[in-house]
C-alpha cells in the first residue's frame, strides 16, 4: 500500500509540473496570439488551394506538387484548422503554441523515464528558449511544432519499451507509426532512429538486438522520405543554381561553422535574426577549417569527460545533419542557418546543461530566474512576428545586408501604395544584389507609377533579358517607351509580349499597331486580325487593322 501511495503521489506531482510547463509556455508566447501572417504563410495557408478546393486534401496526399513541400500530415492539420476557424490567424498561432507546450511536456516525461537530473528545468528551458520563437510564431512552421510532438511521442514509447521500463509488444509498433507521421509532417525527423540508438547506448552501453531490429527499417524509411524531400527541394522548390554550387570540401568546412553557430545561439541568444548574414566559405583558407576541427576536438573532449556529454554532442550533430549544408535546401539562397533548423537538435545541449546545473545543486531561485529571463526574451522576440512589415524591418535592423528582407519589404510597401518607400527598398536590393531582376522590374513599375516613364523604361530594359518569360514586364516597357515617343524601340518588346501572351487582344493590338507603324505590315495584320477575332467589336484594333490594310500603317499607336 505504501509503494502504491508513493507512486500515485509522484504521478500527481508530475501532472502538476506538466500543467506548469504548459502555462509557462503559453505565458511566454502570449504576444504571438495576436500576431498575423508572415512571409510564405500565404503559400501554406491563405493562398493554399488544398485548404479550399473540393479535392484539395486528397491532392495533398496523392500528389507531390499540390503543396510547397510534400508534408501531407502538416497540410491536413492546416485543412482542419481552416475548417474550424477559416483564415483567422489567432487559431493557427494557438495550435503552434500548444503543440510546442506539449513537446515540452513530452520531453519532461522522457527525461523522467531516463532518470536524468534537472528534467523539469530542461523541459522548461526548451519550452521558453528564444531560439524556438521562429518555430512557434511562424504559422508555416507548424511543420516543426507538429513533427516535434510526434518525434517526442515516438521517443517516449520506444525508450520505455527498449529500456524495459514499460511492457507491451505494441509500444514499438505505435512508436514506429508516430515516427512515420513525423516524417509526413517534416522529414527533418528522419534521424530519429539514430538518435534513439545514441540514447540507448548512453543509457545501457549498447543497443540490444530487439531494439536494433526495429530501428534499422525505420532508418531506411527516414532515408527514403529524406531523399524525396531532397529531390523536391531541387526540382520543385528551386534549390539549384549558383547559390548552391558548393564543393564537398566547402560543405564540410561549412558544417563545422554551422554546429558552433547553433551552440552559440543556445548559450547567448542574441541577436536572433529571421534571415542571418550568408557566410562566404573558402575551403582553401586554413581559417575555414578551424570550425570542423573544433567539432572533432569537442567530440574527443566529451568522450573523455563522460559518456553522457559525448552522447549529447552526437545527438545534437546527428539531429542537425539535414541542416549542416550537405543537402541543398531553398533557404540556403539567403543564409546557411536559421533558428528553426535546430528545434529538435537543441534538446541535447539543453538537457546536458540542465543536468549539469542540477548536479551542482543550483538553488530553486537561480533556476527560476534563468527560466523567467529566457521566457522574457521569448516574449520580446515574439513581437517581431506581429506582422510582415514588422518582421522585415526587424530583420533589416539586425542584418542590413539581407537583400531578401529589403525586397519583400518593398513588395509589401508597394501593395500598400507607399511607392516612394518601396522604390527605396528595391534600390537597396539592387545595391546589395545587382543581378536581382525581380527587384529591378519592381523598381521600374514604381517609377512608372511615379510618373517617370523615361526612368522606368531604362530600368525595365535592363531587367528584361533576365526575365525572358515575363510578359507583364514587356507590356510595361512598351507603355513607357511609347509615353516617351520611342516607338521604334517599343516594337521588339511588344512583339515578344505578343508571343508570350498570344490570346491577349490588347497585347496583340499594341504589337500589331507598332509593327504597322514601323512599316512591317505583313507581320502586323495577322496580329490585329487575331485581336479582333478574340474580342469582337474591338474598335481600336479594327480601326488600326483597316488603316494598316489601306495606307500601310496607323499614324499613332496610342
Amino acid at each position: 500500500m505504501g509503494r502504491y501511495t508513493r507512486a500515485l503521489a509522484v504521478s500527481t506531482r508530475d501532472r502538476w509540473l506538466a500543467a506548469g510547463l504548459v502555462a509557462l509556455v503559453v505565458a511566454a508566447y502570449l504576444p504571438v496570439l495576436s500576431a498575423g501572417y508572415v512571409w510564405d504563410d500565404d503559400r501554406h495557408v491563405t493562398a493554399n488551394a488544398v485548404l479550399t478546393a473540393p479535392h484539395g486534401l486528397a491532392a495533398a496526399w496523392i500528389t507531390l506538387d499540390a503543396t510547397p513541400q510534400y508534408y501531407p500530415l502538416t497540410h491536413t492539420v492546416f485543412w482542419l484548422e481552416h475548417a474550424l476557424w477559416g483564415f483567422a490567424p489567432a487559431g493557427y498561432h494557438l495550435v503552434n503554441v500548444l503543440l510546442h507546450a506539449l513537446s515540452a511536456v513530452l520531453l519532461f516525461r522522457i527525461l523522467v523515464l531516463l532518470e536524468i537530473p534537472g528534467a523539469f528545468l530542461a523541459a522548461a528551458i526548451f519550452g521558453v528558449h528564444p531560439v524556438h520563437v521562429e518555430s512557434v510564431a511562424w504559422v508555416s512552421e507548424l511543420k516543426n511544432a507538429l513533427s516535434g510532438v510526434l518525434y517526442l511521442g515516438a521517443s517516449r514509447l520506444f525508450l520505455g519499451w527498449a529500456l524495459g521500463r514499460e511492457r507491451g509488444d505494441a509500444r514499438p509498433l505505435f512508436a514506429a507509426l508516430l515516427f512515420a507521421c513525423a516524417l509526413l509532417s517534416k522529414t527533418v525527423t528522419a534521424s530519429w532512429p539514430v538518435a534513439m540508438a545514441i540514447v540507448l547506448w548512453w543509457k545501457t552501453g549498447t543497443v540490444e538486438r530487439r531494439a536494433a531490429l526495429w530501428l534499422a527499417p525505420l532508418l531506411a524509411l527516414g532515408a527514403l522520405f529524406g531523399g524525396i524531400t531532397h529531390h523536391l527541394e531541387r526540382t520543385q522548390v528551386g534549390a539549384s543554381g549558383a547559390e548552391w554550387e558548393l564543393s564537398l570540401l566547402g560543405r564540410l568546412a561549412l558544417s563545422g561553422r554551422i554546429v558552433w553557430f547553433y551552440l552559440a545561439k543556445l548559450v547567448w541568444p542574441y541577436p536572433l535574426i529571421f534571415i542571418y548574414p550568408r557566410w562566404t566559405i573558402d575551403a582553401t583558407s586554413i581559417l575555414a577549417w578551424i570550425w570542423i576541427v573544433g567539432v572533432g576536438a569537442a567530440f574527443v573532449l566529451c568522450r573523455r569527460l563522460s559518456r553522457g556529454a559525448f552522447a549529447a554532442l552526437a545527438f545534437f550533430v546527428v539531429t542537425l545533419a539535414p541542416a549542416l549544408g550537405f543537402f541543398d535546401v531553398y533557404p540556403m539562397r539567403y543564409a546557411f542557418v536559421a533558428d528553426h533548423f535546430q528545434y529538435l537538435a537543441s534538446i541535447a545541449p539543453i538537457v546536458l546543461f540542465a543536468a549539469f546545473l542540477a548536479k551542482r545543486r543550483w538553488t530553486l531561485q537561480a533556476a527560476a530566474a534563468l527560466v523567467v529571463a529566457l521566457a522574457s526574451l521569448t516574449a520580446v522576440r515574439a513581437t517581431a512576428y506581429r506582422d510582415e512589415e514588422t518582421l522585415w524591418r526587424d530583420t533589416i535592423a539586425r542584418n542590413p545586408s539581407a537583400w531578401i528582407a529589403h525586397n519583400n519589404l518593398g513588395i509589401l510597401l508597394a501593395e500598400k501604395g507607399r511607392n516612394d518607400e518601396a522604390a527605396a527598398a528595391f534600390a537597396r536590393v539592387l545595391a546589395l544584389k545587382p543581378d536581382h531582376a525581380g527587384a529591378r522590374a519592381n523598381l521600374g513599375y514604381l517609377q512608372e507609377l511615379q510618373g517617370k516613364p523615361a526612368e522606368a523604361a531604362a530600368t525595365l530594359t535592363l531587367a528584361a533579358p533576365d526575365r525572358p518569360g515575363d510578359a507583364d514586364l514587356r507590356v510595361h516597357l512598351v507603355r513607357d517607351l511609347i509615353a516617351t515617343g520611342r516607338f521604334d524601340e517599343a516594337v521588339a518588346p511588344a512583339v515578344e509580349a505578343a508571343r508570350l501572351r498570344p490570346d491577349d487582344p490588347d497585347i496583340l493590338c499594341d504589337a500589331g499597331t507598332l509593327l504597322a507603324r514601323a512599316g512591317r505590315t505583313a507581320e502586323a495584320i495577322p496580329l490585329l486580325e487575331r485581336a479582333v477575332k478574340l474580342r469582337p467589336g474591338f474598335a481600336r484594333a479594327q480601326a488600326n487593322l483597316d488603316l494598316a490594310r489601306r495606307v500601310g500603317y496607323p499614324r499613332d499607336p496610342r
Side-chain angles (χ1 to χ4, degrees):
M1 183 66 179
R3 291 181 62 187
Y4 174 80
T5 303
R6 183 173 181 272
L8 182 62
V10 170
S11 178
T12 302
R13 182 202 66 178
D14 286 354
R15 289 194 188 98
W16 279 107
L17 290 175
L21 279 173
V22 173
L24 179 64
V25 171
V26 171
Y29 281 99
L30 280 177
V32 169
L33 301 182
S34 60
Y37 296 110
V38 297
W39 203 6
D40 64 348
D41 286 343
D42 56 345
R43 298 181 64 207
H44 288 90
V45 181
T46 57
N48 187 353
V50 163
L51 277 57
T52 56
H55 304 290
L57 184 59
W61 285 90
I62 63 178
T63 62
L64 296 177
D65 59 355
T67 53
Q69 296 161 306
Y70 184 69
Y71 298 148
L73 190 57
T74 293
H75 290 282
T76 297
V77 174
F78 278 139
W79 184 88
L80 290 170
E81 291 183 87
H82 175 263
L84 290 171
W85 46 73
F87 291 123
Y92 296 88
H93 285 298
L94 179 60
V95 168
N96 276 20
V97 171
L98 292 179
L99 285 171
H100 180 58
L102 180 54
S103 286
V105 171
L106 287 169
L107 177 60
F108 170 59
R109 296 299 302 138
I110 291 169
L111 299 180
V112 170
L113 172 73
L114 296 174
E115 300 174 327
I116 295 178
F120 182 81
L121 177 60
I125 293 174
F126 174 80
V128 300
H129 200 294
V131 297
H132 297 145
V133 171
E134 187 169 292
S135 295
V136 181
W138 186 4
V139 169
S140 293
E141 279 308 311
L142 171 68
K143 297 173 288 187
N144 254 8
L146 178 61
S147 64
V149 167
L150 295 165
Y151 179 101
L152 292 168
S155 302
R156 178 65 181 80
L157 287 173
F158 185 80
L159 291 173
W161 170 81
L163 293 172
R165 305 293 174 82
E166 296 164 338
R167 296 181 180 180
D169 293 336
R171 285 182 175 274
L173 176 60
F174 284 127
L177 290 174
L178 286 178
F179 171 59
C181 289
L183 290 173
L184 292 168
S185 303
K186 190 172 185 178
T187 50
V188 73
T189 56
S191 61
W192 178 83
V194 180
M196 292 302 97
I198 291 171
V199 174
L200 291 175
W201 170 81
W202 161 71
K203 192 65 180 174
T204 66
T206 187
V207 179
E208 292 185 356
R209 184 173 180 272
R210 66 173 191 149
L213 288 175
W214 274 100
L215 293 176
L218 295 179
L219 180 61
L221 181 65
L224 172 63
F225 274 84
I228 292 172
T229 298
H230 177 63
H231 172 73
L232 293 178
E233 281 285 330
R234 292 184 60 85
T235 60
Q236 183 170 301
V237 182
S240 61
E243 291 95 339
W244 295 269
E245 291 178 358
L246 296 173
S247 67
L248 180 58
L249 288 178
R251 292 174 189 267
L252 183 61
L254 172 64
S255 67
R257 187 167 182 178
I258 290 174
V259 168
W260 288 111
F261 172 87
Y262 287 128
L263 284 173
K265 288 300 176 186
L266 287 173
V267 175
W268 190 256
Y270 184 85
L272 297 177
I273 312 175
F274 190 61
I275 304 290
Y276 287 97
R278 192 177 193 271
W279 307 318
T280 299
I281 304 299
D282 181 8
T284 64
S285 170
I286 295 177
L287 293 177
W289 293 95
I290 291 177
W291 306 100
I292 192 65
V293 170
V295 172
F299 270 107
V300 173
L301 177 62
C302 287
R303 189 68 182 95
R304 291 182 177 180
L305 287 174
S306 70
R307 191 161 70 193
F310 183 85
L313 183 57
F315 183 105
F316 181 70
V317 173
V318 164
T319 309
L320 270 180
L324 289 180
F326 294 106
F327 305 101
D328 293 332
V329 293
Y330 192 77
M332 287 172 62
R333 185 184 185 197
Y334 319 116
F336 292 118
V337 290
D339 290 337
H340 68 279
F341 287 164
Q342 72 156 323
Y343 182 68
L344 291 171
S346 68
I347 290 172
I350 288 173
V351 170
L352 184 65
F353 174 70
F356 174 81
L357 295 184
K359 289 180 179 179
R360 296 303 180 277
R361 298 187 180 279
W362 256 42
T363 64
L364 179 62
Q365 293 85 348
L370 173 62
V371 171
V372 169
L374 290 173
S376 300
L377 290 173
T378 287
V380 171
R381 180 61 188 155
T383 61
Y385 291 79
R386 181 174 58 213
D387 54 51
E388 193 161 5
E389 182 174 348
T390 301
L391 181 60
W392 293 130
R393 290 195 182 280
D394 177 83
T395 302
I396 291 168
R398 296 165 185 260
N399 178 17
S401 65
W403 58 265
I404 183 63
H406 290 282
N407 186 68
N408 289 354
L409 178 62
I411 294 172
L412 190 67
L413 293 171
E415 291 173 347
K416 294 181 177 181
R418 295 155 63 179
N419 295 338
D420 291 344
E421 295 176 77
F426 291 129
R428 182 58 182 157
V429 175
L430 295 173
L432 294 168
K433 191 174 177 58
D435 63 344
H436 197 300
R440 195 176 300 280
N442 289 333
L443 178 59
Y445 302 151
L446 287 169
Q447 290 169 334
E448 181 182 305
L449 288 172
Q450 292 170 323
K452 303 174 182 178
E455 294 180 33
T459 301
L460 294 175
T461 298
L462 289 175
D466 294 322
R467 298 177 71 86
D470 192 337
D472 288 333
L473 182 149
R474 284 154 178 81
V475 170
H476 284 276
L477 176 56
V478 169
R479 185 182 303 160
D480 294 322
L481 290 170
I482 290 175
T484 54
R486 295 151 66 183
F487 301 113
D488 291 342
E489 294 178 54
V491 173
V495 171
E496 186 64 12
R499 183 186 67 80
L500 294 169
R501 295 268 187 84
D503 295 323
D504 189 315
D506 290 302
I507 293 176
L508 293 170
C509 179
D510 289 341
T513 301
L514 285 166
L515 282 167
R517 189 183 189 282
R520 297 162 60 178
T521 309
E523 298 172 70
I525 289 177
L527 295 178
L528 293 167
E529 288 176 338
R530 180 165 176 76
V532 172
K533 182 179 180 181
L534 289 170
R535 185 187 296 168
F538 190 178
R540 180 166 65 93
Q542 185 64 60
N544 288 336
L545 175 59
D546 294 340
L547 193 58
R549 286 170 171 168
R550 186 169 61 252
V551 299
Y553 65 91
R555 295 178 181 178
D556 188 348
R558 292 169 290 186

